Amino acid sequence: MKILTLDANELSAACPMRESIDEMSRSFALLAKGKVQSPLRTRVSAPGGDILVMSSLVKRGRVEGSVKVVSVFPQNRGKRPSIGATVLLVDGETGEAKGLLEGARLTAVRTGAVSGLSCRYLARKDSETLGVVGAGAQSFHQVDGIVSELRGVKKVKVFSRHRAKSKAVAKACARAFKVDARAVGSVGECVRGSDVLVTATASKTPVFDGRAVEEGTHVIAIGAYRPDARELDSLLVAGSSVFVDSREAALEEAGDLLIPMAEGLISKGSIRAELSELVTGTKKGRASSSEVTIFKSVGLALEDNAAGWLAYRGALRRKLGKWVEL
Amino acid sequence: MKILTLDANELSAACPMRESIDEMSRSFALLAKGKVQSPLRTRVSAPGGDILVMSSLVKRGRVEGSVKVVSVFPQNRGKRPSIGATVLLVDGETGEAKGLLEGARLTAVRTGAVSGLSCRYLARKDSETLGVVGAGAQSFHQVDGIVSELRGVKKVKVFSRHRAKSKAVAKACARAFKVDARAVGSVGECVRGSDVLVTATASKTPVFDGRAVEEGTHVIAIGAYRPDARELDSLLVAGSSVFVDSREAALEEAGDLLIPMAEGLISKGSIRAELSELVTGTKKGRASSSEVTIFKSVGLALEDNAAGWLAYRGALRRKLGKWVEL
């Protein structure tokens, strides 16, 4: 069999952000129609970290399967990336392996696309300023997803405890997206005046005081993915309209919601809609220009599948990648 | 990251059968010591077949992870192989992907190695004649595993309903293993006089009359892997000493045992030992030259891990395979 391999840069070139957002929208609509299978994630635990396997089968025109293997190895810090991933694409018509993709970039791109898609339903159309808390591997792609969807966003503020990293992210964003992007010196400065606010950190505790969030803001929290970790504080969550990528996954993994639930401040019913309901119009998104919306995303195998197959098809069309005979 | 890819032929060259059998023995000993994690297999169902994911983490000198993606697509029949597989090797110390292996060959080799290992404990040392029922992708590697372990086996009989395929397998075995191998015209002829008898078919019902099996035979059944499918009849199973690769897996999947259990002819206690107990000496294998032993193997993620990492290390040493930058 011949397998197309895409490294991180080939992958980015093969799935431009606007196409990724639209593909994500179509894939969440297929989820609503029952065209998606995703078995429970499996996990093995090594001394240095965990290896997770997330697979998905989606009935598009063709049936398309994906298996992502993600390694979360905090002890790599410094020496090599603490998160590594690889995605295998499997043709759901024949069972043949078709593609092998660098998965850390794929994860960043698909998460950016999902955040961008959330803005279609949840951000104010007149949003101009984006605040990003965190300057890791996700931040650049979060900005990409959000400015691709909200064309009026011209100002980007980046905050992280590592000033050099915030500066590097701001510089890369300014160059790539033609926006006024800069690193700011405090998280308060990042929150203040932001119409869209993203948290993309490895923190296990709230990264800013929720009372500082202004009316009408759309908050996107993508960093925490364990029941005991969160980036947003309970008061902010309790006072906002909450949306998720998937109810089921959020209720399993999203400490941002599970902790205020355990405190009795919100309930399962406080989740106003999941993304598949927004894209199909079953549920409404933002209801007024003053409400604060929160989009909590934990990441789904479906999202890897959507971005992965988009990249595969895009790479074939653009003649990107390297073939390996297996 | 740099990933080593091995196609089917590179894989065979990288893990010779005798090394594979010894590696399998070491890996089953590690299983006995609690050094192996294998989450439940996951499955998605496409219209044309199933895609299964089997992963495993083994603490050897290093910690070594593997994820096998297997497609079982019966409707491919004729056009392309109905079973396709790919194995990703993940370094359990760092989480990095290290290898991508053609998985159908890997599966055939590791299953052959496990069958060979079973002979170490269960076949008569003076075995001379091997009968193989089935002439699919597994048969050649079954013969490889068994003649590598039992050096006295000089005669091999192959039976399948497809005479041309049996002849091709016999010819390949004669050439590769310097044995007197030939296709035989009936399953009875295959069973008669065989000291070791392998069933490696896609049949869901018994492939021969168990009463024809002679005293002292070692029967290896590898073809059936669903609770409702079997290659051996109930009377043969009830009258033999039964061994398995894994009790837990056999009690989930092995119709060869589950059907006679449902009939009340054998019980869970009829399984005399699993492979890890044989290799560590906790349980004894063949007890007399006259008993009929059955080794029922359904296939474990541990076996893919063992053969996959052996192949990876072997390929590095022998400079085999192609590198791809991901």
Side-chain angles (χ1 to χ4, degrees):
Chain A
M1 57 188 157
K2 275 179 75 178
I3 293 183
L4 179 63
T5 68
L6 297 176
D7 67 22
N9 291 331
E10 291 161 346
L11 194 118
S12 283
C15 58
M17 186 51 80
R18 289 180 65 89
E19 290 182 32
S20 301
I21 295 173
D22 289 338
E23 181 58 50
M24 216 51 81
S25 175
R26 284 190 292 274
S27 292
F28 273 95
L30 292 172
L31 178 63
K33 287 184 186 145
K35 304 281 191 189
V36 176
Q37 290 173 59
S38 294
L40 278 182
R41 200 163 71 174
T42 66
R43 176 192 302 259
V44 291
S45 297
D50 288 344
I51 301 170
L52 305 149
V53 181
M54 302 164 69
S55 53
S56 182
L57 188 77
V58 181
K59 291 184 187 170
R60 298 194 174 89
R62 288 182 72 80
V63 185
E64 298 178 324
S66 67
V67 179
K68 180 162 84 167
V69 181
V70 196
S71 301
V72 184
F73 277 60
Q75 294 176 17
N76 284 350
R77 196 165 291 244
K79 283 175 289 182
R80 49 177 75 83
S82 55
I83 296 192
T86 317
V87 177
L88 187 73
L89 301 178
V90 181
D91 186 326
E93 307 282 332
T94 65
E96 290 170 301
K98 288 293 192 180
L100 183 75
L101 316 179
E102 196 285 313
R105 178 67 59 85
L106 182 87
T107 303
V109 169
R110 63 88 152 146
T111 310
V114 171
S115 291
L117 184 59
S118 83
C119 291
R120 190 172 290 178
Y121 304 98
L122 303 175
R124 293 194 337 272
K125 297 297 165 222
D126 62 353
S127 296
E128 290 175 357
T129 301
L130 166 61
V132 181
V133 184
Q138 307 290 325
S139 299
F140 174 86
H141 302 280
Q142 286 296 307
V143 175
D144 193 2
I146 292 158
V147 304
S148 295
E149 181 63 30
L150 297 173
R151 308 312 293 253
V153 169
K154 293 294 173 201
K155 189 171 170 189
V156 176
K157 296 177 288 185
V158 183
F159 172 77
S160 112
R161 290 174 307 170
H162 311 282
R163 181 79 185 203
K165 289 173 75 178
S166 337
K167 280 188 171 171
V169 168
K171 197 171 163 188
C173 289
R175 188 179 305 164
F177 313 125
K178 318 284 179 233
V179 290
D180 166 22
R182 58 194 174 81
V184 296
S186 73
V187 72
E189 203 178 332
C190 194
V191 171
R192 196 161 48 244
S194 285
D195 304 303
V196 179
L197 185 59
V198 176
T199 59
T201 75
S203 177
K204 296 193 163 180
T205 54
V207 293
F208 57 78
D209 182 342
R211 291 170 298 185
V213 172
E214 296 174 12
E215 273 196 355
T217 304
H218 176 42
V219 179
I220 301 171
I222 66 149
Y225 55 91
R226 285 176 174 261
D228 58 349
R230 61 173 171 173
E231 297 175 294
L232 308 180
D233 62 33
S234 294
L235 282 175
L236 176 65
V237 174
S240 305
S241 302
V242 176
F243 300 83
V244 295
D245 51 356
S246 149
R247 267 197 191 82
E248 189 189 356
L251 292 172
E252 284 282 329
E253 301 169 5
D256 293 283
L257 309 184
L258 293 170
I259 295 169
M261 269 180 210
E263 294 167 348
L265 292 172
I266 64 167
S267 67
K268 288 183 189 181
S270 306
I271 298 175
R272 258 219 336 236
E274 57 184 5
L275 203 42
S276 65
E277 294 167 327
L278 295 175
V279 301
T280 53
T282 319
K283 296 272 176 72
K284 291 283 170 229
R286 169 173 290 275
S288 79
S289 61
S290 63
E291 74 176 335
V292 174
T293 51
I294 289 176
F295 179 66
K296 174 59 199 166
S297 161
V298 292
L300 308 178
L302 166 64
E303 298 163 7
D304 302 315
N305 186 300
W309 278 99
L310 178 71
Y312 178 82
R313 291 188 296 263
L316 288 186
R317 216 165 49 236
R318 297 173 176 97
K319 302 199 190 316
L320 295 168
K322 297 171 286 286
W323 291 90
V324 59
E325 187 81 38
L326 211 65
Chain B
M1 55 186 160
K2 274 179 77 178
I3 293 184
L4 179 63
T5 68
L6 298 176
D7 66 22
N9 291 331
E10 290 160 348
L11 194 118
S12 282
C15 58
M17 186 52 79
R18 289 180 65 90
E19 290 181 32
S20 301
I21 295 173
D22 289 338
E23 181 58 51
M24 216 50 81
S25 176
R26 284 191 292 275
S27 291
F28 273 95
L30 292 171
L31 177 64
K33 286 184 188 145
K35 303 283 190 188
V36 176
Q37 290 174 59
S38 294
L40 277 182
R41 200 165 68 175
T42 66
R43 176 193 302 260
V44 292
S45 296
D50 289 344
I51 301 170
L52 305 148
V53 181
M54 302 163 70
S55 53
S56 184
L57 188 77
V58 181
K59 291 183 188 168
R60 298 195 175 87
R62 289 181 72 81
V63 186
E64 299 179 323
S66 66
V67 179
K68 179 162 85 167
V69 182
V70 196
S71 302
V72 183
F73 277 60
Q75 293 176 17
N76 284 351
R77 196 165 289 245
K79 283 175 289 180
R80 50 178 72 84
S82 55
I83 297 192
T86 317
V87 176
L88 187 74
L89 301 179
V90 181
D91 186 326
E93 306 283 331
T94 65
E96 290 171 301
K98 288 293 191 180
L100 184 74
L101 316 179
E102 196 284 317
R105 177 67 59 83
L106 182 87
T107 304
V109 170
R110 62 88 151 145
T111 310
V114 172
S115 291
L117 184 59
S118 83
C119 290
R120 189 172 291 179
Y121 303 97
L122 302 175
R124 294 194 337 270
K125 297 298 167 221
D126 62 354
S127 295
E128 292 177 354
T129 302
L130 166 61
V132 180
V133 184
Q138 307 290 327
S139 299
F140 175 86
H141 301 280
Q142 287 296 307
V143 175
D144 193 2
I146 292 159
V147 304
S148 295
E149 181 62 30
L150 297 173
R151 307 313 294 253
V153 169
K154 292 296 174 199
K155 188 172 170 189
V156 176
K157 296 177 289 184
V158 182
F159 173 76
S160 112
R161 288 176 307 171
H162 311 282
R163 181 80 185 203
K165 289 173 75 180
S166 336
K167 280 188 171 173
V169 168
K171 196 171 163 185
C173 289
R175 188 179 305 162
F177 313 124
K178 317 286 178 230
V179 290
D180 166 23
R182 59 194 172 82
V184 296
S186 73
V187 72
E189 203 178 334
C190 194
V191 172
R192 196 161 48 245
S194 285
D195 304 304
V196 179
L197 185 60
V198 176
T199 59
T201 74
S203 178
K204 296 193 164 180
T205 54
V207 293
F208 57 77
D209 182 342
R211 290 170 299 183
V213 173
E214 296 175 12
E215 271 195 357
T217 304
H218 176 41
V219 179
I220 301 171
I222 66 149
Y225 55 90
R226 283 176 176 260
D228 58 349
R230 61 173 171 172
E231 297 175 294
L232 308 181
D233 62 33
S234 294
L235 281 176
L236 176 64
V237 174
S240 306
S241 302
V242 176
F243 300 82
V244 296
D245 50 358
S246 149
R247 268 197 191 81
E248 189 189 357
L251 292 172
E252 284 281 327
E253 301 170 4
D256 293 284
L257 309 184
L258 293 171
I259 296 170
M261 268 180 211
E263 294 167 346
L265 291 173
I266 64 167
S267 69
K268 288 183 189 180
S270 306
I271 298 175
R272 258 216 341 233
E274 56 184 6
L275 204 41
S276 64
E277 296 168 327
L278 295 175
V279 301
T280 53
T282 319
K283 297 272 176 72
K284 292 283 169 228
R286 168 174 291 274
S288 78
S289 61
S290 63
E291 75 175 334
V292 174
T293 51
I294 290 175
F295 179 67
K296 173 60 199 166
S297 158
V298 292
L300 308 178
L302 165 64
E303 299 163 6
D304 302 316
N305 186 299
W309 279 99
L310 178 71
Y312 178 81
R313 292 187 296 264
L316 288 186
R317 216 165 48 238
R318 297 174 176 95
K319 303 199 190 313
L320 296 168
K322 297 170 286 285
W323 291 91
V324 59
E325 187 80 39
L326 211 65

